[in-house]
Every structure is written in structure tokens, then in C-alpha cells.
Amino acid sequence: MNGTITIAIFRKIPLKIHWSFGLLVLFVIYTSMDKEMTMAQSYWFGGYFLALFTCVVLHEYGHAYAAQKYGIKTRDIILSPIGGVARLESLPDKPIQELIIAIAGPLVNVVLAFLIYIALFFIADGSLTPESSDLTTLSDPTDFLKYLFLLNIVLFVFNLI
């Protein structure tokens, strides 16, 4: 696909970013300056978006690895500011295989949320609600994990729609 740059290859599947992904970087910089964030808050805010897209990448590789199980190759995974897509070379023969491939990505988010929940259980007494509802004031590792937990739940629910 034109307008993309390959940034990595895992298991022979190219991971690409669309040129418009740069707009997200500009958004993070603009928001950091507009909200007059401290340097630490800017790093946490940017780190949250990096973590968000790491979760999206893992989600898309969930689809790709499930497809590989059925002999279906993945051309590439493309990230844009609105999410990611694993481009499969073909569709599976059986509906159950298609269902498994479709659900594999959201299940990755369930696993990530569960692992984060376990960590929060030990370091935050199981509390899952961030101290602040304003992501731009993020400056605490525990709150970072809480936002990441919620993000994975949202990604799971959104992808079931």
C-alpha cells in the first residue's frame, strides 16, 4: 500500500505505519504544549499513545497468527491514527476458522487486560479507576496501568461491534 513505511517485520509479517500516523505525533506534541504539561506529563501522555498502539499491534498480530494456523498468509499490518488492520491474503474456507481469526485479536486485549489487572491487584489493591479522569495530567505509573487496563477493555468491546 502506498503511503506506508515498514518499521518492523515479525514472523515474516511486515508492520507498516501509514504516513498519517505522523498526525498523531503532532497531536501529542500540540496537546502537550496547549495544556502546558510538564515534561514528565508529556512523556506519560506520549507513552500512553505508544502503549495504545502497542496493544493495537498485538491485537492485529493475534488475527495474523490465528490466520497462519489455517495456512492463510498476512500481507502486512498497517497502523494509522485510527487503528490497525491485518491484511490477509485470503479468507478461510470454513466459517469457524473465520470466527476464530476474527476473535483472536480481541482475545489478545482480554489477556492484556487480565495481566494488567493482576499487576494492579498487587500494586493498587485491585482498584481499576484512575485518580484523574484527565489523561493529560497522567504522572503516576499506577494510573498509567489503570488507563491501559481500561484501554484494553474498550478495544475488546469496540472490536466485538
Side-chain angles (χ1 to χ4, degrees):
M1 177 179 219
N2 289 336
T4 62
I5 300 168
T6 301
I7 58 171
I9 298 175
F10 300 105
R11 278 193 169 178
K12 300 179 183 178
I13 302 170
L15 175 61
K16 300 178 178 183
I17 57 171
H18 191 265
W19 69 266
S20 61
F21 197 81
L23 297 174
L24 183 63
V25 174
L26 292 176
F27 167 77
V28 169
I29 293 168
Y30 171 79
T31 303
S32 295
M33 293 171 61
D34 185 55
K35 298 286 185 178
E36 298 179 1
M37 293 183 203
T38 65
M39 188 62 73
Q41 288 172 327
S42 296
Y43 285 139
W44 282 108
F45 187 64
Y48 177 76
F49 281 95
L50 181 63
L52 180 149
F53 278 94
T54 300
C55 292
V56 170
V57 167
L58 294 172
H59 172 104
E60 295 304 330
Y61 272 99
H63 292 303
Y65 292 160
Q68 278 183 345
K69 180 179 188 244
Y70 299 112
I72 299 169
K73 293 184 180 181
T74 304
R75 285 188 195 131
D76 53 24
I77 292 173
I78 300 176
L79 293 178
S80 72
I82 59 170
V85 62
R87 298 190 319 153
L88 304 179
E89 288 188 354
S90 63
L91 294 174
D93 296 329
K94 300 177 184 171
I96 189 69
Q97 294 173 343
E98 190 169 351
L99 176 65
I100 291 169
I101 293 168
I103 199 73
L107 287 178
V108 168
N109 295 112
V110 169
V111 170
L112 291 171
F114 180 71
L115 294 173
I116 295 166
Y117 173 78
I118 291 172
L120 287 170
F121 181 80
F122 290 107
I123 64 174
D125 297 327
S127 170
L128 301 175
T129 309
E131 293 295 320
S132 171
S133 61
D134 184 1
L135 188 59
T136 62
T137 63
L138 186 60
S139 62
D140 176 32
T142 304
D143 271 358
F144 184 86
L145 286 176
K146 290 176 182 179
Y147 274 112
L148 207 52
F149 170 79
L150 295 172
L151 164 77
N152 278 287
I153 297 300
V154 168
L155 285 172
F156 171 73
V157 171
F158 178 75
N159 278 275
L160 291 181
I161 297 174

